Amino acid sequence: MVLGLGALLLGGEGVRLYTDWLWFQEVGYTAVFLKILGTQIWLGIACGLLSALFLWINLSGATRSGMDQVPMLVEELEELWETPHWNQWTTYRRILVLVASLGFGLLVGAQASGAWETWLRYVESVPFGQKDPLFGREVSFYVFTLPLWRQLHSWFMLVVFFSLLGTGVAYFLEGKIWVNQRGVNVSGRAKRHLSLLGGLGVAGLAIGFYLGRYELLYSSRSMIFGASYADVEALLPALTVLSILAGIGSILFFFYSFRPQGLLPWVTLGLLAVAYILGGHLYPLLLQRLVVLPNELGKETPYIARNIVYTRQAYGLEDVEERRLSAEAALGWQDLQENQSTLQNIRLWDRQPLLETFSQIQEIRTYYAFASVDNDRYRFNGDYRQVMLSPREISSSNLPSRTWINEHQVFTHGYGLTLGLVNRVTAEGLPELLIKDIPPATTVNLKVERPELYYGELTDPYVFLRTRSKEFDYPAGEENVYSQYQGRGGVPLSSSFRKALFALRFGSLKTFLSQDITSESRALFYRRIDRRVRRIAPFLRYDRDPYLVISGGRLYWIYDAYTTTDRYPYSLPIRGVGNYIRNSVKAVIDAYHGEVKFYIADPRDPIIRTYSRIFPGTFLPLEAMPEDLRRHLRYPEDLFALQTHLYATYHMTTPQVFYNKEDLWEIPSGIGKEGRPMEPYYMIMKLPQEKREEFILMSPFNPKGKDNLAAWMVAKCDLPEYGKLVVYRFPKQKLVYGPKQIEARINQDAEISRQVSLWDQRGSQVILGTLLVIPVKESLIYVQPLYLKAENGKIPELKRVIVAYENHISMEETLEEALSKLFQRPAVAAGEAPSIAEAPAAEPGKEGERREDARPRGEGVPSDPAAQAWEHLQKAKELQRGGDWAGYGEELKRLEEALKKLRR
């Protein structure tokens, strides 16, 4: 209560601070809040007071006695304004000096409080176990210590500069500096005082030059990032000399302050300026152009090697495993049979078409929305299957009536999700859903017992729960089902005073006046998960794509977080990232209770170990994460895209090859009508030379300026090899078609072009999906889905699947048919499993329930063998389109038996 009253007295910021403190209590991270706030306060006070005190001492020293001379400016103003008492300003000078000093201290303190993270990282720093090759200092010095030294130096120079400026003005107003016919005159006292401050300023320059030596490790003056030949041989000695000269100059200024005679300090400053121009700019430039450029490879070789080593370390590329592929073996139908786990998980649905389809067939009501589609994997009765799922969130902007009560008390949460296998399609060309509708209906052994989504990607508005108003739960036909929140989330509004504070925070008088909000009510805010995790841990950088996981019947969000810095020596910086990154943290958010937990995914990272020391108890070991959630960890796309971008260059580890760019790669681009680059994609596959299928993230490489394929990289997502990067390289002498070449061949195929043109003429929009590179053994298959959207329609339908292998292309209604045509599938022997894309094993009573159109043998089947054969053929095609491969296989067996009868 006392804190609340204090917050109220402080105004809007005080109210926000106090309610944030209540929120941190709710989520269990009060220690983080207090540590950051406490450090900001004491840093601001300490730096502000020291700055104000230093300025006040200097200004008071300059104004402690009366005027020796009336400044000419004062005399002119007295004549202009006819104010003979202008010099009486000295009556208020002490007050003015105090106000100016306190104002300056306030500004400096506010700026210094923002350095809380730099200070805490310095105090609790953990070594990297690596030294830089130029100065031999631990990398932690550059990441944690040098930034603090730099900030202290900037603060010191700022205080000295404004003190020097303010003191000079004070002496001028006091008449200790005046101008007459003979020029500018300075009293002895003013000269001594200003010389002392000047000495401090020059000492600051000496420190700046000294620290500048370490900044050479971030130089970008040559063809590589980091200290180059000219930096080491010219600029490093120059900075050392400049630091010594500035140090000597500061000592001379200090002596001059006691005996203000002669010009030696000013001569030293002149020499410093000349040395700065010659040694700091001209000499390194001449050395670079006259010595380095004519012999660049020879001179820069050791520095190129350093850049390669440290860049690979900084971006986690030093442990990439490279494997060679022969690309000689030709694929046959038997090879496809041996890789069913890969083929039955080929993704036929792209995110955007699937999102549009979900929006049309599963939003149910206008106030629901699907924000994104996520890739994940689950085991359905032993089968490892890739799925695409999307949470059904509440969208307050789409409410039919956006009243305050509807938005903040009634329509408070989303409900459930849609989930389907990546390759299952209905006969109408729509995704076959395993989880759908409201309440969630499931056909697999995956239950959603707590489908409410109070925290998500769209849940931005604050809400009040456990009020007297009915809280909408979900629609049920013409009626609505209402409920009351039973979770642990939210700040209790246990008193009218708290109610008033939240009314001030949200700027809503209705919050205070509402009779529906009682002492049992709770306020939920920071509900959008990106804001929620950033509020708790603002020192981490977060991925763009959080994803939803079903675990134990509940819904959880998993959010990847990174530790970054731009102070790693010799490492190439990336705009917006820095020059070091680790996916060190996995944040898990309960979609119902709002609980947030942070797990350390990379315990070797010194930066997250430092944060663990700063905020003890905030970060948990990954082993503390529930096992079921650990099975759904994904390697983040953002990090993988960054690593593949860098590895395209930094796979070359020989300085000469790197310098000549002899083996430069690039991510395939120019794909599709928009000419976009290929994005990484998730898939389940059995990697070459591996024994089992696994969930991986993959991206291919082209040689620079070429369209053929050079290699492909994968990041493993399954434990215990989570995070392992593997690159598969093709022989340079072997031509392996790349995505752009395959796309060109697809566009040139006469049958495909004719069919696409026919659809276009009928007014349908043809959408070519993502061209996927599917490794099978040591070869590649390309798969591209084709969607149709009616001229005035909004639902894309999967109409065809295009498969390409080497020089052969096939477009059929299903992946099975396209593969069968391309690889000339042999006749199926009796009792042999015919399908290479078999559906997951059915759960009794669920997936095992046979579809109505998949009748048991002999039930409702014509007696004539020819009619039976025709019936079974039609049923097989229908089951095939729907992705029911088990039923499809059964119908083929019956077809075979009917054909045998005809032969008799």
Side-chain angles (χ1 to χ4, degrees):
M1 186 72 172
V2 175
L3 288 174
L5 286 171
L8 201 58
L9 292 174
L10 289 174
E13 282 303 314
V15 169
R16 176 171 289 275
L17 192 66
Y18 178 68
T19 51
D20 273 353
W21 179 64
L22 294 176
W23 181 81
F24 271 92
Q25 284 184 316
E26 175 225 328
V27 294
Y29 290 97
T30 312
V32 175
F33 176 80
L34 294 177
K35 187 66 171 277
I36 294 175
L37 181 62
T39 306
Q40 288 175 325
I41 290 173
W42 86 256
L43 270 180
I45 291 174
C47 293
L49 283 179
L50 287 174
S51 303
L53 181 62
F54 189 83
L55 182 62
W56 179 80
I57 290 173
N58 284 281
L59 293 181
S60 297
T63 58
R64 70 182 180 184
S65 59
M67 291 185 177
D68 291 346
Q69 301 282 339
V70 178
M72 184 180 297
L73 176 63
V74 172
E75 292 179 343
E76 293 175 353
L77 289 174
E78 285 181 348
E79 294 176 2
L80 178 64
W81 292 354
E82 299 178 355
T83 310
H85 303 294
W86 170 260
N87 61 355
Q88 291 184 1
W89 74 274
T90 54
T91 306
Y92 305 102
R93 63 187 175 188
R94 294 185 184 279
I95 297 176
L96 291 173
V97 164
L98 182 61
V99 170
S101 300
L102 290 177
F104 177 69
L106 188 63
L107 292 174
V108 172
Q111 183 184 26
S113 66
W116 64 268
E117 187 177 354
T118 303
W119 170 258
L120 290 176
R121 283 164 55 125
Y122 166 75
V123 172
E124 301 290 352
S125 61
V126 171
F128 277 70
Q130 178 79 20
K131 293 184 177 181
D132 83 273
L134 185 58
F135 299 103
R137 282 189 172 270
E138 228 285 340
V139 170
S140 62
F141 166 79
Y142 298 96
V143 176
F144 302 126
T145 305
L146 187 58
L148 179 68
W149 287 10
R150 274 295 187 188
Q151 289 207 322
L152 289 174
H153 175 256
S154 299
W155 170 70
F156 175 80
M157 294 298 290
L158 180 72
V159 172
V160 169
F161 173 78
F162 276 98
S163 296
L164 182 62
L165 181 64
T167 302
V169 171
Y171 274 123
F172 175 77
L173 294 175
E174 287 292 321
K176 303 296 191 301
I177 300 175
W178 68 95
V179 181
N180 55 26
Q181 291 78 5
R182 292 179 297 177
V184 178
N185 299 276
V186 184
S187 70
R189 185 165 173 275
K191 190 179 294 185
R192 286 191 294 271
H193 191 173
L194 294 174
S195 297
L196 188 62
L197 290 174
L200 289 175
V202 178
L205 288 178
I207 296 171
F209 287 132
Y210 179 79
L211 295 179
R213 298 162 67 248
Y214 298 115
E215 297 294 332
L216 293 178
L217 297 182
Y218 313 104
S219 170
S220 57
R221 296 178 182 86
S222 73
M223 50 86 60
I224 51 99
F225 186 82
S228 62
Y229 181 88
D231 293 322
V232 174
E233 299 299 328
L235 199 51
L236 179 58
L239 288 171
T240 304
V241 171
L242 287 169
S243 180
I244 294 171
L245 280 176
I248 294 171
S250 67
I251 294 172
L252 291 175
F253 267 99
F254 292 144
F255 278 115
Y256 187 79
S257 66
F258 293 103
R259 297 185 61 184
Q261 298 176 0
L263 299 174
L264 190 56
W266 310 104
V267 172
T268 306
L269 278 183
L271 289 174
L272 186 63
V274 172
Y276 180 75
I277 294 171
L278 294 179
H281 292 278
L282 189 58
Y283 177 50
L285 181 63
L286 291 174
L287 186 68
Q288 178 71 23
R289 291 187 176 180
L290 301 179
V291 178
V292 177
L293 290 180
N295 309 279
E296 192 169 38
L297 178 58
K299 297 295 184 184
E300 300 286 17
T301 291
Y303 307 104
I304 294 173
R306 293 174 183 177
N307 172 257
I308 294 172
V309 169
Y310 281 82
T311 298
R312 287 170 63 98
Q313 288 177 358
Y315 291 98
L317 298 173
E318 74 275 23
D319 294 326
V320 173
E321 180 182 344
E322 289 201 357
R323 300 177 184 177
R324 301 282 177 173
L325 298 175
S326 65
E328 295 293 340
L331 283 181
W333 185 259
Q334 184 59 36
D335 298 313
L336 302 187
Q337 291 283 342
E338 294 171 3
N339 286 270
Q340 288 191 32
S341 57
T342 297
L343 299 175
Q344 72 180 3
N345 285 291
I346 292 177
R347 177 166 60 86
L348 299 181
W349 287 104
D350 284 357
R351 289 182 180 178
Q352 190 56 39
L354 190 59
L355 191 61
E356 293 176 14
T357 302
F358 283 169
S359 299
Q360 294 300 314
I361 67 175
Q362 278 293 304
E363 279 188 356
I364 312 296
R365 293 290 188 272
T366 58
Y367 41 77
Y368 288 126
F370 292 101
S372 62
V373 177
D374 299 318
N375 276 277
D376 203 356
R377 71 284 198 194
Y378 289 86
R379 284 197 179 274
F380 299 124
N381 301 305
D383 286 320
Y384 203 37
R385 301 304 299 268
Q386 185 177 348
V387 301
M388 299 185 80
L389 68 155
S390 185
R392 186 184 293 105
E393 299 196 55
I394 195 79
S395 176
S396 58
S397 60
N398 292 328
L399 288 174
S401 176
R402 292 193 65 184
T403 63
W404 185 85
I405 291 179
N406 276 346
E407 193 167 350
H408 300 291
Q409 292 186 37
V410 178
F411 293 91
T412 59
H413 60 275
Y415 204 89
L417 73 157
T418 59
L419 179 147
L421 296 175
V422 294
N423 67 332
R424 294 286 284 268
V425 186
T426 67
E428 295 79 22
L430 300 177
E432 184 176 313
L433 302 178
L434 304 181
I435 300 178
K436 60 183 178 179
D437 299 339
I438 297 177
T442 178
T443 62
V444 291
N445 55 332
L446 189 62
K447 306 296 183 183
V448 182
E449 297 168 353
R450 181 58 79 179
E452 298 92 339
L453 289 157
Y454 284 90
Y455 303 86
E457 295 180 272
L458 299 179
T459 49
D460 204 21
Y462 63 89
V463 294
F464 298 102
L465 303 178
R466 299 184 189 172
T467 66
R468 292 193 179 104
S469 297
K470 288 184 176 181
E471 184 189 344
F472 173 78
D473 198 22
Y474 62 87
E478 298 299 323
E479 302 293 329
N480 290 331
V481 176
Y482 295 91
S483 67
Q484 189 175 68
Y485 180 64
Q486 300 299 321
R488 297 184 292 271
V491 176
L493 301 179
S494 53
S495 65
S496 298
F497 183 68
R498 279 197 179 185
K499 193 174 173 182
L501 286 175
F502 278 100
L504 288 172
R505 181 196 172 101
F506 299 136
S508 171
L509 185 61
K510 294 176 182 177
T511 300
F512 183 71
L513 298 177
S514 175
Q515 298 297 314
D516 294 327
I517 300 175
T518 69
S519 59
E520 298 297 321
S521 300
R522 306 176 79 88
L524 273 67
F525 55 108
Y526 292 132
R527 295 198 302 142
R528 211 173 77 186
I529 56 174
D530 60 332
R531 294 183 178 178
R532 196 168 185 84
V533 294
R534 284 182 172 89
R535 192 71 189 92
I536 298 171
F539 41 84
L540 299 176
R541 186 185 298 269
Y542 294 89
D543 195 77
R544 293 178 300 172
D545 185 28
Y547 58 100
L548 195 71
V549 171
I550 306 170
S551 178
R554 307 180 66 88
L555 302 179
Y556 297 89
W557 293 96
I558 296 182
Y559 215 146
D560 286 288
Y562 308 104
T563 50
T564 62
T565 182
D566 59 357
R567 308 302 298 170
Y568 202 85
Y570 275 105
S571 175
L572 180 73
I574 300 295
R575 185 184 298 242
V577 175
N579 66 355
Y580 173 95
I581 186 169
R582 288 291 187 274
N583 176 215
S584 298
V585 176
K586 304 284 185 179
V588 176
I589 306 102
D590 189 313
Y592 185 73
H593 295 293
E595 294 173 348
V596 182
K597 292 184 179 180
F598 296 92
Y599 298 95
I600 298 178
D602 186 356
R604 298 173 301 171
D605 174 36
I607 297 182
I608 197 59
R609 288 163 56 201
T610 296
Y611 284 128
S612 296
R613 294 179 61 177
I614 295 172
F615 306 107
T618 299
F619 300 98
L620 305 173
L622 192 62
E623 293 73 23
M625 181 186 291
E627 184 180 356
D628 189 47
L629 286 177
R630 290 205 306 270
R631 286 196 287 265
H632 293 279
L633 295 180
R634 300 186 326 190
Y635 199 84
E637 281 187 71
D638 285 354
L639 176 59
F640 188 68
L642 176 64
Q643 289 176 315
T644 53
H645 168 74
L646 286 163
Y647 198 77
T649 301
Y650 282 88
H651 71 277
M652 299 179 288
T653 56
T654 304
Q656 182 173 353
V657 176
F658 186 93
Y659 175 80
N660 293 322
K661 300 292 187 288
E662 297 175 19
D663 193 22
L664 193 63
W665 295 346
E666 63 182 357
I667 305 298
S669 59
I671 308 299
K673 294 181 180 179
E674 300 84 3
R676 62 188 183 277
M678 284 193 74
E679 296 180 352
Y681 50 91
Y682 294 100
M683 63 182 299
I684 291 177
M685 67 169 294
K686 185 164 69 173
L687 292 168
Q689 305 159 20
E690 298 285 355
K691 295 182 179 179
R692 64 176 182 86
E693 70 274 11
E694 50 193 314
F695 191 60
I696 56 99
L697 183 59
M698 175 184 169
S699 183
F701 293 105
N702 286 344
K704 180 70 173 179
K706 303 290 184 181
D707 293 331
N708 60 293
L709 215 60
W712 46 279
M713 174 184 273
V714 300
K716 297 190 174 189
C717 299
D718 292 340
L719 296 171
E721 291 191 297
Y722 172 86
K724 182 177 181 180
L725 300 178
V726 183
V727 171
Y728 293 88
R729 302 184 65 156
F730 292 108
K732 294 182 181 179
Q733 67 275 13
K734 175 75 174 180
L735 174 63
V736 179
Y737 288 124
K740 196 171 182 180
Q741 292 171 319
I742 293 295
E743 187 178 63
R745 294 182 65 86
I746 291 174
N747 293 335
Q748 294 167 6
D749 186 274
E751 178 59 27
I752 296 176
S753 298
R754 185 192 64 79
Q755 186 63 62
V756 169
S757 299
L758 184 61
W759 282 320
D760 282 335
Q761 291 170 8
R762 292 177 178 175
S764 298
Q765 179 186 356
V766 178
I767 304 171
L768 286 172
T770 301
L771 182 64
L772 299 178
V773 184
I774 310 296
V776 178
K777 290 196 170 180
E778 297 202 359
S779 299
L780 298 175
I781 295 174
Y782 286 88
V783 176
Q784 185 173 39
L786 185 149
Y787 311 96
L788 276 189
K789 186 192 288 187
E791 186 175 7
N792 298 319
K794 296 182 178 179
I795 303 179
E797 298 177 4
L798 180 62
K799 277 298 180 185
R800 295 290 186 272
V801 179
I802 304 171
V803 178
Y805 171 67
E806 293 185 345
N807 294 317
H808 310 289
I809 297 173
S810 173
M811 182 177 76
E812 299 295 333
E813 291 188 9
T814 66
L815 175 63
E816 174 85 5
E817 291 175 351
L819 289 171
S820 299
K821 180 178 178 181
L822 205 60
F823 290 93
Q824 298 181 355
R825 172 183 175 179
V828 181
E832 181 183 338
S835 176
I836 63 164
E838 192 173 312
E843 180 187 6
K846 293 295 179 182
E847 292 171 286
E849 293 178 359
R850 195 171 290 279
R851 295 163 57 123
E852 292 180 4
D853 55 357
R855 295 185 296 264
R857 182 178 177 180
E859 181 179 333
V861 178
S863 58
D864 179 53
Q868 288 181 8
W870 177 255
E871 177 78 10
H872 291 313
L873 177 62
Q874 297 306 310
K875 291 296 181 183
K877 287 184 177 181
E878 191 172 345
L879 291 170
Q880 186 184 48
R881 294 190 193 98
D884 188 348
W885 302 109
Y888 171 75
E890 291 295 326
E891 289 297 334
L892 285 183
K893 290 180 183 178
R894 294 170 190 149
L895 173 62
E896 183 181 19
E897 290 173 4
L899 292 174
K900 287 179 179 178
K901 291 179 182 179
L902 283 174
R903 290 185 63 184
R904 299 192 191 113

